[in-house]
Amino acid sequence: VLRLFSDLINRLGEAMMPVLPKVFESCFQSTLSMITKNFVDYPDHRVHFFSLVRAINSKCFRALLLLNPVQFKLVVDSI
């Protein structure tokens, strides 16, 4: 799912902006909590998570600025 969203954002760019809040709700927080518990487990999830963050940062940066403060802090802390 993380890779799918990364690919969609890379291909569609800002057209994905209306969907990004749902992506954050459904994937971002749960994956972040999963990969921060132990830095050895889930290496594929870790790679795809940061690929998703990179895609959002490079293709839909305005979406990051539209997040609520809690979600934005979560993104900044994850980086």
Side-chain angles (χ1 to χ4, degrees):
V1 173
L2 296 170
R3 184 172 180 186
L4 172 67
F5 281 124
S6 296
D7 289 344
L8 285 171
I9 291 168
N10 281 324
R11 292 184 195 277
L12 299 176
E14 290 193 7
M16 288 291 292
M17 282 186 57
V19 181
L20 286 178
K22 292 292 183 186
V23 172
F24 275 99
E25 288 176 22
S26 63
C27 297
F28 197 84
Q29 293 177 339
S30 60
T31 305
L32 185 61
S33 66
M34 188 172 74
I35 64 174
T36 56
K37 288 180 185 175
N38 182 347
F39 290 106
V40 177
D41 294 339
Y42 310 111
D44 292 339
H45 286 79
R46 189 177 312 283
V47 169
H48 294 304
F49 176 80
F50 287 108
S51 294
L52 175 63
V53 172
R54 184 179 64 206
I56 292 170
N57 188 31
S58 66
K59 302 293 183 176
C60 298
F61 187 75
R62 282 188 321 137
L64 292 175
L65 301 176
L66 297 175
L67 293 174
N68 66 46
V70 174
Q71 289 176 327
F72 184 75
K73 183 176 179 348
L74 194 64
V75 171
V76 170
D77 289 346
S78 71
I79 295 171

